[in-house]
Amino acid sequence: VSYLHGSRGTEIVKAAFIEHLKVYKSRGFEVHTILVDREGAFGKATVDFNDLGVTCNPAASGKHVPVVENKIKQIKERVRAHIHGIPYLLPHQMLKYLVYFCVIRLNQMPSSSRGDGSITSPAELFTGIKLNFKTDLRIAFGEYVQVESPHTVESNSIIPRTEGCVALLPTGNLQGSVKFLKLSNWEIIVRDSWKALPMPAEVVKHLSDRARLDKVK
């Protein structure tokens, strides 16, 4: 999944698609055909994608690709479930990370659409790395944590040793690093270790207030 920065223009979509192709190729997969509907950039300019060495196979006018529609439905269902499961309103800045998180988790589950009864997840088939509970599944989206500040140098300094953050998504590296949203300045940081804590009421208010500024209801 790629974030398109609010634009679905042909060049934006094509650039994102090229990045996807690079990832597939890096794992030894060759993409020859893509199934698309006639909406947006693919519908208006499928010929522009032919120079990438792939063939666009568009659906009939007004129709969609069932397998793609089902995957989109799955993602939307999980995004909605998370939004209504967290104790605060979700700021817009966190929404794209929630989509990424849901896609990662879906890829870590065996897929019934393969039809061969395999219990191997798409993520494992793609990367060749087995899922590790201790590194890959140790935190949930939106969870409140305290992470160590790497800038605390002097042992007798009164600078805080930890920072309040909420979890966004795993980076996928072998260390099990996770991206966090730092609550003090809304910076995205990456950490390997943290301390999960109950969600303070002040954090719930802080995040909900930010979401209201984004006009989230």
Side-chain angles (χ1 to χ4, degrees):
V1 63
S2 293
Y3 180 60
L4 299 181
H5 302 281
S7 172
R8 294 172 61 184
T10 301
E11 291 306 314
I12 297 293
V13 172
K14 186 173 182 179
F17 183 65
I18 288 173
E19 291 304 311
H20 282 248
L21 287 178
K22 287 180 179 177
V23 174
Y24 287 125
K25 191 170 184 178
S26 71
R27 297 291 182 177
F29 292 86
E30 292 292 337
V31 178
H32 300 290
T33 305
I34 57 172
L35 308 179
V36 302
D37 58 27
R38 294 183 181 273
E39 292 185 1
F42 283 106
K44 295 176 182 177
T46 54
V47 68
D48 287 348
F49 295 86
N50 292 338
D51 62 332
L52 300 177
V54 298
T55 301
C56 286
N57 184 52
S61 181
K63 301 295 183 180
H64 298 283
V65 183
V67 65
V68 177
E69 290 296 304
N70 287 337
K71 293 298 183 184
I72 292 172
K73 181 181 177 181
Q74 278 186 306
I75 296 168
K76 286 182 176 180
E77 287 173 345
R78 281 155 178 75
V79 167
R80 280 194 295 267
H82 277 84
I83 287 176
H84 292 287
I86 56 178
Y88 49 83
L89 294 177
L90 188 73
H92 278 318
Q93 184 177 350
M94 295 176 63
L95 179 57
K96 69 177 181 179
Y97 294 102
L98 174 55
V99 176
Y100 293 149
F101 178 87
C102 290
V103 170
I104 289 170
R105 289 293 183 251
L106 281 169
N107 281 332
Q108 290 171 335
M109 298 174 61
S111 175
S112 60
S113 63
R114 289 181 57 198
D116 59 2
S118 174
I119 59 172
T120 305
S121 71
E124 183 180 335
L125 288 169
F126 188 70
T127 64
I129 301 173
K130 289 186 176 294
L131 193 66
N132 187 319
F133 178 82
K134 292 183 178 180
T135 56
D136 300 325
L137 302 174
R138 52 183 176 155
I139 197 165
F141 176 86
E143 191 172 348
Y144 176 71
V145 303
Q146 285 283 324
V147 301
E148 290 187 3
S149 174
H151 305 299
T152 304
V153 179
E154 299 180 15
S155 60
N156 61 349
S157 170
I158 62 172
I159 297 175
R161 299 310 199 255
T162 62
E163 302 170 291
C165 301
V166 289
L168 297 176
L169 73 158
T171 64
N173 65 6
L174 296 177
Q175 296 92 327
S177 301
V178 171
K179 286 186 178 181
F180 294 96
L181 176 66
K182 190 159 65 170
L183 295 172
S184 61
N185 59 6
W186 299 91
E187 177 187 355
I188 306 300
I189 61 175
V190 177
R191 295 290 186 273
D192 295 338
S193 60
W194 57 85
K195 176 67 175 179
L197 297 169
M199 180 73 66
E202 293 83 358
V203 172
V204 173
K205 183 179 185 303
H206 182 61
L207 290 166
S208 295
D209 286 347
R210 179 59 178 255
R212 291 187 184 98
L213 290 176
D214 296 337
K215 302 188 183 305
V216 174
K217 297 180 180 179

